[in-house]
Amino acid sequence: MIFLTRKAEFSSAHYYWNDSWSPEENLRVFGRCANRNGHGHNYSLEVTVSGNVDPTSGFVVDLKELKDILEREVVSVYDHRHLNLEVPEFKATVPTTENIAIAIWQRLDNKIPHAKLHRVRVYEMPDLFADYYGER
Amino acid sequence: MKAHLSRRYHFSASHRLHTEAYDPARNVAVFGKCNNPHGHGHNYTVQVTLSGQVDPATGMVCNLAELDAFARTNLLDRFDHANLNTLDCFANKVSTTENLSIEIYRIFQNFPAAHLERVHVEETSNNSFDYAGETTTAPGLI
């Protein structure tokens, strides 16, 4: 079995806010991330899939096809968007790095032919990233 | 849902690889230029990986500000711009990055808000070390 990782990037705005809390509580927990005018990041996405090498093509997965899937399912939806305001899964869910990794897993799960999704890694910045392995 | 969060911290420290268990000639033979009596230094990078259920209210495995404050007090304030050999934890141990990784793992085991999975310490851009307790698996295979 081989693990194969494809990277993609997107730049998005977001803020952290829980509607069921008071503004003071949001500021206490989320600090500067609670600024309702939003802020943004250059996110880097690493999607790792596992599978066996096809003896004819030598591929685990067609990289062009994987690139197109990432573009269609994730980048075209997230890039140059405000995650809270424009991406449906974050209408009621805080767009933390952890939740972005989970949401991308859910967008990609069962969409990649001939390979099994192993890990979704999302870098919010080079010194902070979240991994999701599909665990409940 | 369970997710993993990794945070990277940076500090600069000096050290010298030397053990009283060896005579001077053997120290030089084993540790080479790292045995220079005056010490030398590195820019270390520590990557800490924590896991836990994502809190539905915050969307977080743990509050990053709390983690950063913990790292400031327990990691950076102790190690940054220090001579590792002068610290209590290296009084009887060679200050290799293997031993440093184990010490940093012990430190973050005391962070109360999430489960410590692994520490990864880069001594230089060419040398890095992983420790995840006695059952450490290969990097990337959590």
Side-chain angles (χ1 to χ4, degrees):
Chain A
M1 191 168 68
I2 293 280
F3 291 91
L4 180 149
T5 300
R6 175 90 202 175
K7 290 189 188 184
E9 293 183 348
F10 54 92
S11 302
S12 311
H14 72 168
Y15 58 79
Y16 290 177
W17 196 266
N18 184 326
D19 281 333
S20 62
W21 295 345
S22 67
E24 293 74 24
E25 182 68 358
N26 274 287
L27 279 175
R28 191 188 67 75
V29 174
F30 294 133
R32 288 184 301 174
C33 299
N35 177 351
R36 291 300 289 265
N37 292 321
H39 63 281
H41 300 284
N42 296 322
Y43 290 93
S44 183
L45 167 64
E46 292 180 10
V47 174
T48 301
V49 301
S50 65
N52 292 315
V53 179
D54 181 287
T56 309
S57 68
F59 290 166
V60 171
V61 58
D62 184 329
L63 270 177
K64 172 70 167 68
E65 195 177 355
L66 182 56
K67 181 185 175 187
D68 291 345
I69 293 167
L70 297 187
E71 174 65 30
R72 184 180 71 236
E73 300 293 333
V74 181
V75 176
S76 69
V77 185
Y78 288 5
D79 188 39
H80 286 72
R81 296 289 179 188
H82 193 302
L83 298 177
N84 304 64
L85 306 181
E86 298 183 279
V87 177
E89 55 261 37
F90 301 117
K91 285 267 186 283
T93 302
V94 189
T96 56
T97 319
E98 294 93 317
N99 276 337
I100 294 170
I102 292 169
I104 291 174
W105 177 285
Q106 289 166 345
R107 284 182 170 273
L108 295 176
D109 197 20
N110 295 321
K111 301 253 172 58
I112 303 165
H114 316 301
K116 184 172 177 295
L117 190 55
H118 172 69
R119 181 180 75 189
V120 169
R121 171 171 286 185
V122 177
Y123 284 86
E124 184 184 88
M125 53 184 75
D127 284 340
L128 176 66
F129 60 94
D131 292 323
Y132 186 59
Y133 295 84
E135 294 172 284
R136 303 303 305 171
Chain B
M1 292 186 202
K2 182 184 172 188
H4 292 69
L5 178 81
S6 297
R7 182 71 157 154
R8 289 164 70 86
Y9 299 102
H10 307 274
F11 66 85
S12 303
S14 65
H15 73 161
R16 177 197 185 199
L17 303 189
H18 180 85
T19 175
E20 296 299 328
Y22 297 161
D23 63 26
R26 191 160 180 209
N27 269 294
V28 170
V30 171
F31 296 123
K33 62 184 178 179
C34 301
N35 187 242
N36 174 0
H38 302 295
H40 63 282
H42 300 287
N43 296 322
Y44 291 92
T45 295
V46 172
Q47 180 174 302
V48 180
T49 301
L50 302 158
S51 68
Q53 290 293 317
V54 177
D55 183 331
T58 63
M60 296 173 174
V61 167
C62 63
N63 189 304
L64 203 57
E66 285 176 23
L67 178 61
D68 285 350
F70 183 91
R72 166 58 55 194
T73 304
N74 296 285
L75 177 73
L76 303 177
D77 285 351
R78 286 179 62 196
F79 292 135
D80 190 33
H81 287 71
N83 179 334
L84 297 181
N85 295 53
T86 65
L87 304 178
D88 287 347
C89 54
F90 293 114
N92 299 306
K93 255 188 248 157
V94 185
S95 57
T96 58
T97 311
E98 291 91 326
N99 281 333
L100 180 63
S101 301
I102 293 168
E103 180 61 23
I104 293 172
Y105 182 85
R106 288 195 182 127
I107 289 171
F108 280 92
Q109 273 187 310
N110 292 323
F111 180 64
H115 174 70
L116 177 63
E117 291 281 346
R118 167 182 300 269
V119 298
H120 167 83
V121 181
E122 296 165 18
E123 181 185 70
T124 69
S125 54
N126 291 327
N127 295 334
S128 67
F129 303 82
D130 284 77
Y131 188 66
E134 288 309 308
T135 56
T136 302
T137 54
L141 291 180
I142 294 172

